[in-house]
Amino acid sequence: MILQLTPFIMLDGNAKEAIDFYVQALDAKVVFTQTFGESPDSTESSLPANARNRIAHSVLKVGQTELMVSDIFPGQSHPIGNQVTICITTSEKEQAKQLYESLRQDGQVSLELQETHFSPAYGMVIDKFGVVFQIFTARQR
């Protein structure tokens, strides 16, 4: 079983610029990057033009640590202060569900725990202290 906490920076349209900056400033290595337009679920008609080139997900390696960076979808609310979230990665759907249910107690659900094209169980909650957690279940390889 895997359990890992990862800082996750969420930006409003300038994630590519941030990635380039972290490559220079932190000697980060880009492990993975995908735009909303590159998502297997996207089509020309399913995405607004201003969303296609935004970063949907990226993983950078900084020393021994991973850092995730993405853009929000155009039009999503993104108050200043919520740029950094904590991504909890697990290898088990049941553990993801348990973490999700525990963290949402007296908190707020941002995204229901659900299967996506990149995860068998992914969701977002804001805990009762205002901390944003992303629960990400890694696909078994």
Side-chain angles (χ1 to χ4, degrees):
M1 177 170 58
I2 297 170
L3 184 61
Q4 176 181 337
L5 301 179
T6 306
F8 198 124
I9 300 171
M10 298 184 72
L11 300 168
D12 190 8
N14 56 346
K16 174 71 172 107
E17 178 184 349
I19 291 167
D20 293 342
F21 175 76
Y22 297 134
V23 164
Q24 293 299 314
L26 302 175
D27 195 28
K29 307 294 184 241
V30 178
V31 176
F32 176 81
T33 186
Q34 182 180 59
T35 65
F36 285 104
E38 293 169 333
S39 166
D41 300 334
S42 72
T43 63
E44 283 290 317
S45 62
S46 68
L47 283 176
N50 62 343
R52 289 188 189 112
N53 292 322
R54 283 186 175 218
I55 301 295
H57 186 64
S58 73
V59 178
L60 308 178
K61 190 79 167 175
V62 182
Q64 297 301 308
T65 305
E66 286 188 345
L67 172 65
M68 297 181 181
V69 181
S70 76
D71 285 311
I72 61 169
F73 199 82
Q76 269 186 313
S77 173
H78 189 63
I80 298 300
N82 287 347
Q83 298 94 314
V84 179
T85 64
I86 298 172
C87 184
I88 302 174
T89 300
T90 180
S91 59
E92 305 292 329
K93 285 172 64 172
E94 282 305 311
Q95 186 178 32
K97 185 176 180 181
Q98 179 185 10
L99 291 163
Y100 176 85
E101 292 299 330
S102 296
L103 288 167
R104 72 183 277 188
Q105 296 303 310
D106 299 321
Q108 176 184 341
V109 172
S110 297
L111 180 66
E112 292 288 335
L113 190 68
Q114 60 191 283
E115 184 171 352
T116 66
H117 76 276
F118 57 86
S119 174
Y122 175 78
M124 290 178 66
V125 298
I126 303 169
D127 75 4
K128 64 183 178 181
F129 303 104
V131 178
V132 179
F133 285 91
Q134 298 183 53
I135 292 85
F136 172 76
T137 307
R139 291 205 182 277
Q140 300 298 320
R141 294 177 191 223

